[in-house]
Amino acid sequence: MSDLIAIVYPTEAKAEEVRQRLIDLQKEYLITLADAVIATRDDSGKVRLNQMLHTTAAGALSGSFWGLLVGVIFLNPLLGVAVGAASGAVGGALTDVGINDDFMKQLATKLKPGSAALFVLVREMTADKVLKEISGFGGEVLRSSLDETKEKVLRDALQSASNPA
């Protein structure tokens, strides 16, 4: 089962820094991320999502490969690549993996302009080590699916970084 955690940071740069640190921790096998998205809200109130997984590009790449293969079989590889890329891109754009975009946009409307929320869908993690690594960045938990005890530990760790004693 995956856990969803949304943490608010004062800037998009800070949220990106934390996301990059989580990706590094994934390379160290301390966490397994299903998705990590940064949501921002501009001064006009428009919400923008910065996805970790770009399904449109992945679909186009996959479609190009399969289109090339079919094109080679039917002696027209360039047409096959073009048709495959187009159909793959459409398929990728219509695919929503990870965290629901509408859910993130709805929560992001609560952000102050200029701030950012990092939405992380965690499959597995070594909680104590990951928490130690990200607690120095601060932040405020906006929403989580963690049980109350784990959420309190997360909130306390992030709060201690925000308000050093």
Side-chain angles (χ1 to χ4, degrees), residues 42-75:
D42 62 19
D43 294 332
S44 67
K46 183 176 181 189
V47 174
R48 186 177 55 85
L49 301 178
N50 180 346
Q51 304 273 357
M52 183 173 85
L53 304 170
H54 297 285
T55 56
T56 303
L61 184 62
S62 169
S64 295
F65 170 75
W66 290 108
L68 176 64
L69 187 61
V70 169
V72 166
I73 292 170
F74 292 104
L75 301 175

Side-chain angles (χ1 to χ4, degrees), residues 2-158:
S2 298
D3 290 314
L4 174 67
I5 304 167
I7 304 172
V8 177
Y9 291 98
T11 64
E12 183 177 4
K14 181 62 80 174
E16 183 62 45
E17 189 178 350
V18 175
R19 178 167 65 174
Q20 288 305 315
R21 184 63 191 129
L22 289 172
I23 290 169
D24 292 342
L25 291 173
Q26 184 169 252
K27 292 175 187 172
E28 297 173 24
Y29 303 103
L30 295 176
I31 190 169
T32 304
L33 300 173
D35 203 0
V37 179
I38 296 173
T40 57
R41 184 170 169 237
D42 62 19
D43 294 332
S44 67
K46 183 176 181 189
V47 174
R48 186 177 55 85
L49 301 178
N50 180 346
Q51 304 273 357
M52 183 173 85
L53 304 170
H54 297 285
T55 56
T56 303
L61 184 62
S62 169
S64 295
F65 170 75
W66 290 108
L68 176 64
L69 187 61
V70 169
V72 166
I73 292 170
F74 292 104
L75 301 175
N76 196 343
L78 291 178
L79 180 62
V81 169
V83 170
S87 62
V90 168
L94 296 175
T95 302
D96 188 16
V97 294
I99 307 166
N100 183 292
D101 290 357
D102 292 334
F103 170 76
M104 289 185 290
K105 287 179 180 178
Q106 180 185 11
L107 277 182
T109 60
K110 299 177 182 178
L111 293 174
K112 295 176 187 169
S115 63
L118 174 61
F119 291 87
V120 183
L121 191 58
V122 179
R123 287 193 183 127
E124 297 177 36
M125 76 172 154
T126 308
D128 58 336
K129 292 182 180 181
V130 171
L131 196 55
K132 181 181 175 187
E133 290 291 326
I134 67 165
S135 63
F137 293 100
E140 178 185 337
V141 177
L142 178 64
R143 179 80 55 98
S144 104
S145 65
L146 298 171
D147 65 49
E148 290 180 16
T149 311
K150 290 179 183 174
E151 185 172 332
K152 183 174 180 351
V153 170
L154 176 62
R155 286 181 188 274
D156 292 345
L158 296 176

